[in-house]
Amino acid sequence: MSFKPGDLFFGLMEFLAFIVPGFILCITLPFILHYPVKEYVEIKNDTVITFFWVSLVLVSYITGHFLHHICALVLNPVYKNTYLKWKIGKHIEFVTKVETQIDQKIPILSDHLKKAEAYVKMNSPVIIPELEKHEANSKLFRSLCLLSLYLCLLPCLNWYGRAVLIIISFLSFSKFANERWNHRYLVYQYFNLIN
């Protein structure tokens, strides 16, 4: 029996896309809201510490989902109107050829990427972890893009700390866009190879 990342309840996708950004948000929010956290951090009882960490992971997971949704609403249109258009322009011949194949093979009205990805996953399940890796990374860096701007609100930061966070935000968007494109390009390549 082979073990896959998706076999865990908290797989790679959940950890990178939801728990890590949600954890960063949960840890820093009290400092931005000037909420006293000292009494919650200095807990000595082992049972309470276990409960605290389990609760923090679950709250981070839930918060990460909300953050993920907000980031998708804000950054996906920016990605589609800038980076995706530029990349499709560079690879227009390949993209057009594969999308024509997708329409011929799967004649239903839906997004080309979703149709191709479903087809690839059904016909070659060993590829799933590689595709999920790019998807998880893109979601992580998409969240980090907005989280970096949010962290600029920390009152203890000086101007160069905020400048570094703005640079990290820009680099995170760049990495998100690159990972999102790599995911699409790999799906199209695998679809082309399978057919």
Side-chain angles (χ1 to χ4, degrees):
M1 183 173 165
S2 62
F3 175 76
K4 302 182 295 301
D7 291 341
L8 290 172
F9 177 68
F10 288 127
L12 178 67
M13 180 79 74
E14 285 78 14
F15 182 75
L16 291 179
F18 306 123
I19 296 176
V20 171
F23 183 78
I24 294 170
L25 184 65
C26 288
I27 290 297
T28 57
L29 193 59
F31 295 103
I32 288 177
L33 298 176
H34 303 290
Y35 190 78
V37 292
K38 190 172 183 178
E39 63 221 38
Y40 298 107
V41 176
E42 293 182 1
I43 299 171
K44 302 295 183 201
N45 187 338
D46 286 345
T47 309
V48 178
I49 288 175
T50 305
F51 176 75
F52 172 77
W53 283 109
V54 169
S55 301
L56 185 60
V57 168
L58 291 176
V59 169
S60 298
Y61 182 69
I62 294 165
T63 307
H65 272 282
F66 292 128
L67 182 64
H68 168 76
H69 185 67
I70 292 167
C71 292
L73 289 174
V74 173
L75 295 177
N76 281 359
V78 175
Y79 163 74
K80 285 178 183 172
N81 292 319
T82 57
Y83 196 87
L84 182 62
K85 279 187 178 177
W86 173 63
K87 280 293 196 176
I88 287 176
K90 281 181 72 175
H91 303 277
I92 189 70
E93 189 178 320
F94 172 73
V95 170
T96 306
K97 176 187 163 190
V98 174
E99 287 183 352
T100 304
Q101 285 179 353
I102 293 167
D103 285 335
Q104 289 171 351
K105 195 78 174 177
I106 311 164
I108 58 171
L109 289 175
S110 183
D111 181 54
H112 288 105
L113 178 62
K114 289 179 183 175
K115 290 192 293 189
E117 189 172 6
Y119 186 84
V120 167
K121 286 180 176 180
M122 281 176 46
N123 289 290
S124 188
V126 294
I127 296 168
I128 293 173
E130 185 178 356
L131 296 177
E132 282 184 348
K133 179 186 75 168
H134 288 289
E135 198 174 355
N137 284 338
S138 74
K139 289 178 179 181
L140 169 68
F141 284 102
R142 181 176 62 193
S143 294
L144 288 179
C145 179
L146 284 189
L147 269 176
S148 298
L149 295 177
Y150 150 80
L151 290 174
C152 289
L153 299 175
L154 281 171
C156 60
L157 282 179
N158 49 27
W159 68 269
Y160 57 84
R162 288 184 173 88
V164 167
L165 283 170
I166 290 170
I167 292 168
I168 290 171
S169 178
F170 174 76
L171 293 174
S172 295
F173 179 81
S174 177
K175 182 68 175 168
F176 147 67
N178 188 46
E179 288 289 332
R180 179 61 64 92
W181 169 254
N182 286 341
H183 177 258
R184 176 182 289 269
Y185 197 72
L186 273 176
V187 169
Y188 280 13
Q189 279 183 324
Y190 286 132
F191 184 89
N192 196 27
L193 285 171
I194 290 169
N195 287 288

